[in-house]
Amino acid sequence: PEQALSVYHRALALLDKNYGSNHPESLDILINLGLIEKKKGSYSAAEEYYRQSLRLVDACYGPSHPKAADVLNKLADVFRKRGDFAEARQIYDDALAIVSASLGPQHAEAAEILNNMGLIEKKKSNYTEAFALFRRAADVIRDSFGATHPKFGFIVNNLGDVCRKRGDFDAAQTLYTQALDILEKSLGLNHPEVAEVLNNLGLIAKKRARYADADSLYTRCVSIVESAFGPSHPKVGFVLLNLGDVYRKLAKFGAAEDAYNKALAIIEPVLGASHIEVAEVVTSMGLLYSSQQRYSLALTFFERALKTVIAEFGEQHYKAGVILNAMADAQRKLGQTDEASALYRRSLDVLGVTVGIDHEEYAEACNGFGLLLLSAGEYDEAYCQFELAVHIIQQSL
């Protein structure tokens, strides 16, 4: 990347010297500079290059030209990567309006924007809207390029994500396997986009307690991402987080803590201490300390993560419900009955609204609340919670 940056900077300097700073030929160079910085995780630098590109498009072609939509889409990507979803969504909306008016709503450029909008809604746990956006994008790409094109594979992978988030692991596995087949054949076995699907397949394996499979998938994924982007890229941190989760489930607590600390050291400097991806690592570290019966320490990590989630998404978000349940478990094990009861009730309220009362996360909260009620001698209420948890799990098998 550094060599490419140097070449592009020299080319841009030559164009500026010979033709001035507003020459159309400078546009591709500025866009490529932004892309390299985005791939490196240098989002502030990427934003500046895309804003320069946007000013150049405005000067040379006008604000309603398809080139403006292309740059807006890339600029929105930067905000999405940084976790500024409201700003990103607004920019995507602007880009889609330009493309629909100039190229038509069934153009491949529209599909790319729809896919990116779906990524935002998925992050916000708006799974119905996300699935609809991905489906629209997939239909356009299939009609434009066919069902073996890598762009179609990318969107199939995203559809799998939504199914996984909803708890439909069979559908997710099928979609991920389809995406992997498309991308390995079209891009090669060691492409970063292949690594994305491997990571997601690892998440399914982890959910199904197939930890050896998950370990193998994540290890291959880390190797691909490190080769493509270097060991300090946020994507490496994301996979290390998932690998740490596997080690935690296997009770390899030392290896888990090492993976989490490495992930945090990579992600936090790039994205900032209050980024939602940092909260994911912090939550997992809290779960690790709970597994080690270090409940007071775990609570400090859960509280930090919850603060980030609420600041980003509000109190009625799926992730908030999951963290509240983890906090309730820790308080129950500390013997803090009243605090635990209040947290379980909050968790169940949030999860019931966001993922529904037939989701496995809701079942986990029911089970924890049942254990609390059982310890308090409230046997009938405890039985009801356990019965509901069992029913949910049976339905998901």
Side-chain angles (χ1 to χ4, degrees):
E2 297 305 323
Q3 184 177 1
L5 284 171
S6 177
V7 170
Y8 283 131
H9 280 301
R10 289 200 301 271
L12 190 63
L14 284 171
L15 281 171
D16 286 352
K17 180 179 178 181
N18 293 326
Y19 302 107
S21 60
N22 285 333
H23 195 277
E25 293 295 330
S26 298
L27 180 61
D28 286 342
I29 297 174
L30 288 169
I31 289 174
N32 287 332
L33 284 166
L35 179 62
I36 292 171
E37 295 293 358
K38 185 178 72 173
K39 290 286 188 183
K40 287 170 55 185
S42 303
Y43 299 126
S44 294
E47 179 187 352
E48 180 54 33
Y49 284 124
Y50 289 143
R51 290 200 181 278
Q52 287 184 51
S53 302
L54 203 57
R55 289 193 290 270
L56 184 56
V57 169
D58 192 38
C60 296
Y61 304 102
S64 299
H65 195 277
K67 289 182 183 293
D70 178 56
V71 178
L72 284 169
N73 186 40
K74 292 177 170 59
L75 179 62
D77 283 350
V78 172
F79 284 97
R80 176 172 57 82
K81 296 281 187 180
R82 287 199 301 215
D84 189 346
F85 300 130
E87 182 69 18
R89 182 60 197 258
Q90 181 58 59
I91 298 172
Y92 284 137
D93 285 339
D94 293 342
L96 186 62
I98 294 171
V99 168
S100 296
S102 58
L103 301 175
Q106 299 302 311
H107 195 276
E109 294 293 334
E112 183 175 345
I113 299 168
L114 289 167
N115 180 65
N116 290 335
M117 291 165 74
L119 293 173
I120 288 180
E121 297 309 321
K122 183 183 71 173
K123 276 290 185 183
K124 292 165 64 178
S125 297
N126 295 333
Y127 299 130
T128 300
E129 184 172 355
F131 195 88
L133 288 163
F134 290 143
R135 177 55 66 192
R136 284 175 61 193
D139 289 344
V140 173
I141 291 297
R142 186 188 59 240
D143 292 344
S144 299
F145 301 113
T148 60
H149 194 277
K151 287 181 183 287
F152 187 71
F154 302 156
I155 302 173
V156 169
N157 179 57
N158 291 334
L159 285 165
D161 281 350
V162 175
C163 292
R164 174 175 57 81
K165 295 283 189 179
R166 286 171 163 172
D168 189 349
F169 298 136
D170 288 340
Q173 179 90 29
T174 299
L175 289 162
Y176 287 146
T177 302
Q178 180 186 358
L180 186 66
D181 182 62
I182 294 169
L183 296 176
E184 284 186 333
K185 288 178 179 176
S186 58
L187 301 177
L189 298 179
N190 295 315
H191 194 278
E193 295 294 346
V194 170
E196 292 279 351
V197 187
L198 292 171
N199 180 66
N200 292 333
L201 283 166
L203 292 172
I204 294 288
K206 183 178 69 174
K207 280 289 188 182
R208 289 176 159 167
R210 289 163 31 204
Y211 300 125
D213 290 344
D215 190 353
S216 177
L217 288 161
Y218 290 143
T219 300
R220 181 183 166 195
C221 185
V222 168
S223 176
I224 294 171
V225 175
E226 282 188 338
S227 296
F229 302 117
S232 300
H233 194 277
K235 287 182 182 290
V236 177
F238 302 154
V239 184
L240 285 171
L241 165 61
N242 292 330
L243 194 56
D245 286 345
V246 171
Y247 293 144
R248 173 171 56 83
K249 295 285 189 179
L250 290 170
K252 297 180 179 180
F253 297 138
E257 187 164 23
D258 184 55
Y260 291 147
N261 282 327
K262 286 180 180 177
L264 195 62
I266 293 169
I267 297 170
E268 192 169 16
V270 176
L271 300 181
S274 59
H275 193 278
I276 194 65
E277 298 291 353
V278 173
E280 295 277 0
V281 185
V282 172
T283 300
S284 288
M285 294 181 80
L287 292 170
L288 170 66
Y289 296 133
S290 278
S291 298
Q292 295 176 303
Q293 300 182 10
R294 301 160 70 182
Y295 302 122
S296 295
L297 178 59
L299 282 167
T300 65
F301 280 80
F302 292 143
E303 286 163 2
R304 177 185 167 188
L306 184 64
K307 182 179 179 181
T308 299
V309 170
I310 290 174
E312 183 64 48
F313 299 119
E315 294 187 2
Q316 293 294 110
H317 189 272
Y318 153 73
K319 291 182 186 295
V322 171
I323 298 169
L324 286 166
N325 180 50
M327 292 173 69
D329 284 346
Q331 292 284 18
R332 172 171 58 82
K333 290 167 183 176
L334 284 170
Q336 302 297 322
T337 304
D338 292 342
E339 290 85 346
S341 179
L343 287 164
Y344 280 129
R345 293 181 190 279
R346 284 179 64 193
S347 175
L348 288 166
D349 285 345
V350 173
L351 292 173
V353 170
T354 55
V355 296
I357 61 172
D358 57 350
H359 195 278
E360 63 167 8
E361 295 289 355
Y362 193 87
E364 287 193 22
C366 287
N367 184 64
F369 194 25
L371 290 170
L372 179 70
L373 293 167
L374 184 66
S375 67
E378 299 180 34
Y379 302 122
D380 289 342
E381 290 189 44
Y383 182 86
C384 290
Q385 294 296 324
F386 292 143
E387 187 176 42
L388 179 55
V390 169
H391 175 73
I392 295 167
I393 297 301
Q394 286 178 334
Q395 291 295 109
S396 68
L397 295 177

